[in-house]
Amino acid sequence: MSTLEIKNLQVSVATENGFTEILKGVDLTIKSGETHAIMGPNGSGKSTLAYSIAGHPKYTITGGSVTLDGADVLDMSVDERARAGLFLAMQYPVEVPGVSVTNFLRTAATAIRGEAPKVRTWVGEVKEAMASLSMDPSFAERSVNEGFSGGEKKRHEILQLELLKPKFAILDETDSGLDVDALKIVSEGVNRVKANSDLGVMLITHYTRILRYIKPDFVHVFAAGRIVEEGGPELADKLEEKGYAEYVTH
């Protein structure tokens, strides 16, 4: 059993006029096997939370703490966070020209596992995971995300999730830009990883449609840089019906 604990997290970003506070004291605890949906309007700070945990240099931590099984995440480099068991699926995955998907995945797996996977078994692992995500085998030889459609990029993120087997996955608007079929395939991939491990999930989304496929244990409403309401799956139903108007201050 692992625990990702966020306490009073405060984060700012540099602007032309100095620093602007984005996160204003976030408290959230995720345990192994749990799925937490983070929902809220645009600009509420949801993605800032994701990238701050992952270690993006754009964000300055001004207060609070993030710990993984008691270890100080904020004191770790980005790669140390990944090796500790944190995984971020980005809303807009970046292209890495000249690096094949196969080499990228094997290098990442080597870093996580501490030794290079045996080639024969690794090829089988990759093929099986790609098939389960309805990915064309030829993608393995293409440069990472180069020329990929939005749906293909998101499938590649879940392919990494399946192969790297982290303790906690932060999925930043994984549903954005997906058609119904791709959404179902990606969601099934997340559910498959969860079924085969104790993966804890932080699922960031605007919409409830992905929650029809990935069932949350807890729903947290994000507004103006903090969590303003928490509940179970029924809270997502309320948001579907009424939207975020009551949480947005003008």
Side-chain angles (χ1 to χ4, degrees):
M1 176 72 74
S2 288
T3 302
L4 178 64
E5 190 167 19
I6 301 158
K7 285 186 177 179
N8 193 32
L9 186 64
Q10 299 158 54
V11 176
S12 295
V13 294
T15 67
E16 291 179 358
N17 302 316
F19 280 90
T20 298
E21 188 177 38
I22 307 295
L23 299 187
K24 301 173 181 177
V26 176
D27 293 289
L28 180 63
T29 299
I30 303 175
K31 296 183 178 179
S32 295
E34 295 179 348
T35 297
H36 292 247
I38 310 291
M39 304 187 69
N42 277 327
S44 57
K46 303 185 304 298
S47 292
T48 297
L49 176 63
Y51 287 107
S52 298
I53 295 169
H56 195 297
K58 173 183 174 182
Y59 301 99
T60 301
I61 312 297
T62 57
S65 63
V66 180
T67 57
L68 175 53
D69 295 335
D72 184 356
V73 170
L74 302 180
D75 199 38
M76 300 177 187
S77 63
V78 172
D79 61 310
E80 286 171 340
R81 297 179 200 210
R83 284 198 293 269
L86 290 177
F87 177 90
L88 172 66
M90 294 181 281
Q91 183 178 358
Y92 303 109
V94 296
E95 297 182 2
V96 188
V99 178
S100 72
V101 168
T102 296
N103 286 340
F104 173 78
L105 291 171
R106 192 159 188 263
T107 300
T110 300
I112 296 293
R113 301 179 187 184
E115 61 180 11
K118 292 184 171 59
V119 173
R120 187 174 298 176
T121 55
W122 176 248
V123 169
E125 274 187 75
V126 174
K127 282 185 176 177
E128 183 180 345
M130 290 183 75
S132 66
L133 288 163
S134 301
M135 294 180 74
D136 188 310
S138 66
F139 273 81
E141 301 312 316
R142 291 175 60 180
S143 291
V144 172
N145 291 326
E146 192 172 34
F148 286 23
S149 69
E152 289 163 349
K153 288 180 179 179
K154 296 302 175 71
R155 291 185 204 198
H156 180 226
E157 296 276 277
I158 305 307
L159 175 65
Q160 295 171 47
L161 180 63
E162 291 213 43
L163 293 169
L164 300 180
K165 300 177 174 60
K167 294 177 181 178
F168 292 97
I170 302 168
L171 309 180
D172 184 23
E173 299 198 30
T174 297
D175 50 341
S176 68
L178 297 184
D179 60 29
V180 174
D181 292 333
L183 176 64
K184 191 173 181 183
I185 289 169
V186 163
S187 299
E188 286 172 349
V190 175
N191 290 333
R192 196 162 46 246
V193 176
K194 281 205 69 183
N196 294 321
S197 68
D198 287 329
L199 181 72
V201 175
M202 180 193 295
L203 178 62
I204 295 171
T205 184
H206 292 295
Y207 308 110
T208 57
R209 64 176 191 154
I210 194 171
L211 304 184
R212 296 172 199 152
Y213 301 103
I214 302 174
K215 302 296 185 184
D217 301 297
F218 306 94
V219 174
H220 310 268
V221 182
F222 225 79
R226 53 170 59 95
I227 292 170
V228 294
E229 188 170 351
E230 299 177 296
E234 72 285 346
L235 181 52
D237 297 332
K238 173 188 167 185
L239 295 172
E240 174 80 358
E241 181 184 347
K242 298 185 176 179
Y244 299 113
E246 70 177 275
Y247 305 106
V248 179
T249 55
H250 297 286

